[in-house]
């Protein structure tokens, strides 16, 4: 079963009727709508950022587009904090994603993986500073989903998973001049998270699914978001220089790996709350 509904009350026998009721509860329309609503709220920062990307592509601006997007991202972050959509500690954690993302961008743009073709005053080595907000949006989603869905990693091997996630991040930075180990690292992450379940709550029902599967699902939706972002001119791959083309499906796997880094960072930041670590 992809996701299993768990009882929130006293323990009950897991007979065929109980299992059928749990499956029916998961696939019921109200639960799916509740889940979609919570996911949508968790993506609110990313949605607002994409709205800014879309508007900036059609509305004349008095300054360079990338500079305007940097200002917009800063204002958006302040507004989210001011109206309490994000706590101060969450805003700081998301700022950490911004820094991690900028380091990643500096290396990747230098190696020619993608580019930011428009001019701007706030570009360093070809990387506009606003690009860090694209990674901050991922961090915001993970932080919000953790809080809104009451996430819990059961059987989480904190040290093993963190080591593999760090190796994944390093491999993405070094594979241009060292061997690319991403396939082996993907297998290592599956091994590190084997048997680990992520629990989450929708309404009054508690669910769980394999942690590795959640990485794959998030990675897929990030790949879809990347296609939209490149269509809006957020950045550009070499094969999109003349005419926009679909981002290569291999990037789906890359996002699935990168999201493990985001989840490990947030799990570490939350200091292992409600986890049962097994090192």
């Amino acid at each position: 079963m992809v996701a299993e509904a768990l009882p929130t009350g006293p323990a009950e026998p897991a007979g065929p009727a109980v299992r059928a009721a749990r499956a029916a509860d998961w696939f019921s329309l109200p639960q799916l709508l509740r889940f979609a609503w919570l996911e949508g709220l968790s993506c609110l920062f990313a949605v607002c950022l994409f709205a800014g990307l879309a508007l900036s592509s059609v509305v004349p601006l008095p300054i360079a587009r990338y500079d305007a997007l940097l200002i917009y991202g800063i204002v958006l972050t302040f507004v989210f904090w001011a109206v309490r959509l994000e706590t101060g500690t969450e805003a700081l954690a998301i700022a950490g994603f911004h820094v991690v993302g900028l380091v990643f961008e500096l290396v990747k743009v230098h190696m020619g993986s993608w580019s930011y073709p428009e001019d701007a005053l706030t570009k360093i080595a070809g990387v506009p500073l606003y690009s860090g907000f694209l990674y901050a949006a991922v961090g915001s989603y993970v932080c919000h989903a953790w809080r809104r869905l009451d996430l819990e990693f059961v059987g989480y091997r904190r040290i093993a998973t963190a080591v593999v996630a760090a190796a994944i991040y390093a491999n993405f930075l070094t594979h241009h001049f060292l061997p690319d180990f991403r396939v082996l690292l993907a297998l290592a992450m599956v091994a590190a998270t084997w048997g680990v379940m992520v629990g989450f709550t929708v309404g009054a029902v508690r669910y769980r699914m394999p942690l590795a599967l959640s990485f794959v699902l998030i990675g897929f939706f990030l790949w879809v978001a990347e296609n939209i972002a490149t269509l809006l001119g957020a950045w550009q791959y070499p094969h999109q220089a003349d005419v926009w083309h679909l981002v290569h499906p291999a990037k789906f796997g890359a996002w699935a790996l990168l999201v493990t880094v985001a989840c490990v960072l947030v799990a570490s930041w939350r200091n292992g709350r409600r986890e049962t670590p097994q090192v």
Side-chain angles (χ1 to χ4, degrees):
M1 184 179 293
V2 172
E4 177 186 356
L6 301 175
T8 55
E12 57 182 90
V18 172
R19 288 195 295 270
R22 292 176 185 175
D25 186 58
W26 170 243
F27 289 108
S28 68
L29 182 60
Q31 283 297 90
L32 288 174
L33 291 176
R34 288 190 191 101
F35 179 72
W37 173 250
L38 292 171
E39 284 287 289
L41 290 176
S42 299
C43 294
L44 190 57
F45 187 92
V47 170
C48 292
L49 191 62
F50 270 68
L53 283 169
L55 286 173
S56 67
S57 66
V58 296
V59 175
L61 298 169
I63 60 176
R65 183 188 182 209
Y66 293 161
D67 296 335
L69 286 170
L70 174 62
I71 296 171
Y72 174 72
I74 293 171
V75 172
L76 193 62
T77 301
F78 176 79
V79 169
F80 268 58
W81 171 79
V83 300
R84 299 298 186 263
L85 285 172
E86 287 171 355
T87 66
T89 51
E90 283 177 340
L92 287 175
I94 293 166
F97 280 93
H98 193 289
V99 174
V100 170
L102 279 178
V103 172
F104 191 76
E105 289 288 316
L106 287 168
V107 173
K108 287 297 187 178
V109 170
H110 175 71
M111 299 306 298
S113 296
W114 54 80
S115 64
Y116 294 87
E118 299 178 32
D119 293 328
L121 295 175
T122 54
K123 288 179 77 172
I124 299 175
V127 177
L129 296 181
Y130 98 86
S131 64
F133 283 107
L134 301 170
Y135 297 86
V138 177
S140 176
Y141 163 75
V142 176
C143 289
H144 278 256
W146 204 297
R147 172 160 48 89
R148 296 180 187 278
L149 294 168
D150 190 21
L151 298 188
E152 175 190 10
F153 291 172
V154 180
Y156 182 53
R157 304 173 186 90
R158 185 181 307 166
I159 295 177
T161 309
V163 168
V164 177
I168 287 171
Y169 184 76
N171 183 74
F172 276 113
L173 296 178
T174 61
H175 77 86
H176 297 281
F177 46 88
L178 291 176
D180 189 351
F181 297 109
R182 73 182 67 188
V183 174
L184 292 176
L185 289 171
L187 294 174
M189 181 56 72
V190 170
T193 58
W194 190 262
V196 181
M197 305 295 286
V198 54
F200 57 99
T201 300
V202 180
V205 184
R206 188 76 176 162
Y207 301 93
R208 67 183 183 185
M209 71 165 58
L211 180 60
L213 176 61
S214 71
F215 293 153
V216 173
L217 293 175
I218 296 172
F220 172 74
F221 285 105
L222 286 174
W223 176 75
V224 172
E226 182 178 37
N227 277 282
I228 298 172
T230 54
L231 180 62
L232 295 173
W235 67 91
Q236 185 181 87
Y237 285 103
H239 73 283
Q240 298 171 327
D242 298 322
V243 179
W244 182 85
H245 294 282
L246 192 72
V247 176
H248 196 283
K251 296 294 183 181
F252 161 36
W255 278 114
L257 288 174
L258 280 174
V259 79
T260 65
V261 180
C263 289
V264 165
L265 287 173
V266 175
S268 300
W269 164 66
R270 294 181 68 89
N271 198 26
R273 297 177 189 176
R274 296 186 61 187
E275 296 170 356
T276 55
Q278 297 176 358
V279 179

